[in-house]
Amino acid sequence: MRGMNRNLATAFVLLISLGYPAKSGAVDFAPPKSYPVGANPSAVVAGDFNGDGKPDLAVANAGSTNVSVLLGNGDGTFKDAVNSSAGPSPSALAIGDFNGDHKLDLIVIDTGIANMMLGNGDGTFQPPVQVNSGQSPLSMAVGDLNGDKKIDLVVGDLSNESLSVLLGNGDGTFLPAKTISLGSSGAIISIVIADLNGDTNPDVVAATPAGAVILAGHGDGTFQAPTPVADSTHAGFFLAGDFDNDHKVDLALRATIPPPSGCHLFCISHAGVIVYRGNGDGAFNSGVQVAGSLIQFMSAGIVAADFNADNKLDLFMEIRGLGNLLLGEGNGGSFIGVPPIDSGARTHPSFIAAADFDGDSLPDLVLTYSLTNSVAVLLNTSPTSGADLALTLNPALANGASVGVDLSYNVTVFSEGPQDASGVILTENLPSGLKFVSAQPSQGTCTGTITITCDLAAITDPSTATVQFTVTPTAAGTFMDVLQVAATQPDLNSNNNSASITVTAVLPADLSVSATASETTAIPGDKVTVSVKAANSGPGTATNVTLTDSVTDSTQVSSVTISSGSCSMSSGQITCALGTLASGANVTMAYIVAAGTSGFDNNLDISSDQPDLNTNNNGTQVSIAVSDFTVSPAATSLAVKRGAQASEVLTFPAQGGFSGTIALACSVSGPSPMPTCGISPASVTPGTNATLTVNAAALSASLTAPWFEQRARLCAAWLPLGLLGCVLVTSFDKKRRRQWALCLLMLVATILPVGCGSSVTTGPPPQNYTVTVTATSGALQHATNIIVTVQ
């Protein structure tokens, strides 16, 4: 029985539930806590706005013209939001001490303007003052661009493909903006300031729709001409970080990536993260995509931090309300995706920020949610020592759950850090009712048949090891399969070290369908009965059994009957709902087919909700061939001269094995008199020819005599007149006799050939007739017409 198991993936019913505790991610976060803010929050930054050494939050509320500040308590919780007026529609924030009073200030981008909001040092801000930052500011970044210890500002424009550089005066104001054209098309979506070439001068990276460009800084607030970032061709949101631990700045880009050129299948854009490794000289290697999703929407935010305390930068982003964490392996191009983190919402967040809100040296997360007008804080509860392991199960790889049928599933062991895990042991305890078949680990070995022990040896941080388990249910019922993992190192978070799979096994059925026809070869018009039998050989009962019969021409089908259940016809398909078929039960269905000229074919299929041990007998076909012949003349028109005859060859192609004798006859229709026709031989069989002969002798005799009588009468009338003219001419004088003689000679030369039988004549017009050839063999009769032109 095991040999047939592998072919049953599409027919099995698998009822599996996975048992995970609340904290199951590879890096653990406490349940999200929500804090109300203003309407449509679109950006968030963290900083100490009241000078108490505890991180606070500032949130730009695009729908309520203000900024909400939530003062932190230092334990990961926050006080209620206090709002400060910020302009018409705040959408982006930058933080810094712009006036040198040791109090954090904010720059807010509103609709088409940038405003400075100087901090009061208690979490409130002075009224906004507009900064002359360009025509339509969209993005911005801050830093000391000229080394004077005063914060400067770089603003990206929405429409004119340029950057505005504003050098700070240190008192909350800026020198007039200097515009740098990037020569690209579209908005400047994001800006990063960092030392990319190791010369201690800040450089600028700007993301444009045509790709990212770098402006190398001179250290005085001016920059070299923009150059592209490696093979960057995507617009998106950049962040800088050392992702390969080589002390050189790398770049991560969160972008919407279009399908490749020439794509013909599943050609949709998708969200992705691309990492560009820096060479330390301002140049970057080609981008490596480290994450992707078929979902195009992904939050505008992407943050980098060491979430598992292993001294390697990780990445975090949101996709449809689920946090997606990528643990960095420290080589810049490899990240381990871990199970999604529930961030507390099922809507798209607008922005993300990371900071240590509770003082445990682990980065926590804050996310804005525009639809709920709130921010959610997720505290990082990951261990800071030992080797944190986690388990996940992948039942999607399972073939099914059926008695006697192999069931396969994958187990993934995550090494989460902060330390490498050694001596990793995965154990599986099989319950009664599940029989062990095999365990295939990606590393190490597995032993045992009831308690299976897999020694996976060492798993570095962060990385994974997998084991594919295959078991066979031996009885119907529900069974719990429990798995656990442990390592030599202490695991300070054991909540994610176990997982379980619940298998509901059922007895399989064996459905089959067969069909016969009362005649496999018919002549057009015959009534043929098609009989169908649907059966279940068990051992299990089949539920919701459906029989479908797709026919070539539904107009040929009538009188559908069934012994149990009901049938309906639609769009060339008979669909029969048979309900439940117990083991050993069967249902019969029949209908009448009116044989046509092109025959009849169908395709039968049977299915149910039950696993099926043998799907090879779930379909069948019936074909009804037509036994017939046709009459085929060599041409459909024939020409014959009057008084002559002409012939045409007739052939008789057969179909469906027709081999009978065909009797032949012909008839002529048209104006009288008509030609005659004949066929030789008078009967044939398929594969032999016959000759049709058309004789036009009767038409020649009837038309010649009257025509020549008219000519004779004309000649007889003309000759006496001609003689009389000759007599009269003799009475004229000599000169006049000559003139009249010449006229008479010309007249005679013109008329006599017409009246007395000259070779210059005009015959009667052609006439058309229809010759019908009739071929008869028993009840079959076919006819064809040939147009005959008599000339």
Side-chain angles (χ1 to χ4, degrees), residues 191-432:
I191 302 171
V192 170
I193 296 177
D195 180 12
L196 305 178
N197 55 10
D199 63 356
T200 71
N201 297 325
D203 310 309
V204 171
V205 179
T208 76
V213 295
I214 297 173
L215 292 85
H218 294 134
D220 57 359
T222 64
F223 298 87
Q224 299 179 27
T227 58
V229 174
D231 56 356
S232 169
T233 57
H234 308 298
F237 296 86
F238 268 103
L239 58 82
D242 183 8
F243 296 106
D244 54 6
N245 288 333
D246 64 353
H247 308 292
K248 301 170 185 176
V249 178
D250 309 311
L251 295 172
L253 170 66
R254 196 243 73 178
T256 298
I257 302 172
S261 59
C263 176
H264 299 290
L265 186 64
F266 301 115
C267 301
I268 60 175
S269 299
H270 66 279
V273 177
I274 302 173
V275 172
Y276 299 90
R277 295 177 60 189
N279 296 324
D281 57 0
F284 291 83
N285 295 316
S286 297
V288 176
Q289 185 171 336
V290 299
S293 170
L294 290 180
I295 301 173
Q296 296 186 37
F297 301 105
M298 196 158 60
S299 72
I302 177 173
V303 293
D306 182 10
F307 291 102
N308 60 345
D310 64 353
N311 297 315
K312 302 168 187 174
L313 274 182
D314 312 310
L315 293 170
F316 181 89
M317 70 214 74
E318 277 271 323
I319 301 178
R320 288 192 179 274
L322 290 177
N324 286 259
L325 182 61
L326 303 174
L327 297 181
E329 295 189 31
N331 58 14
S334 298
F335 290 78
I336 300 297
V338 299
I341 298 167
D342 187 355
S343 59
R346 292 296 178 266
T347 57
H348 301 298
S350 299
F351 209 82
I352 308 170
D356 180 10
F357 299 130
D358 56 4
D360 63 357
S361 300
L362 287 173
D364 308 305
L365 292 166
V366 59
L367 303 95
T368 65
Y369 290 98
S370 58
L371 293 183
T372 57
N373 298 327
S374 65
V375 295
V377 175
L378 287 76
L379 297 180
N380 191 342
T381 60
S382 303
T384 56
S385 64
D388 190 10
L389 298 176
L391 280 183
T392 63
L393 280 166
N394 182 10
L397 297 179
N399 288 330
S402 183
V403 175
V405 177
D406 285 356
L407 168 68
S408 297
Y409 48 90
N410 270 16
V411 178
T412 301
V413 178
F414 290 89
S415 177
E416 314 158 356
Q419 298 176 1
D420 295 344
S422 61
V424 179
I425 302 295
L426 174 67
T427 58
E428 178 185 29
N429 296 302
L430 284 182
S432 175

Side-chain angles (χ1 to χ4, degrees), residues 591-613:
Y591 53 84
I592 302 298
V593 174
T597 58
S598 58
F600 177 84
D601 291 287
N602 72 350
N603 286 283
L604 287 146
D605 184 73
I606 191 169
S607 63
S608 77
D609 292 338
Q610 206 75 4
D612 197 318
L613 285 176

Side-chain angles (χ1 to χ4, degrees), residues 697-713 764:
L699 276 76
S700 175
S702 64
L703 292 178
T704 302
W707 179 246
F708 277 98
E709 282 181 9
Q710 295 174 9
R711 290 172 133 182
R713 293 192 191 102

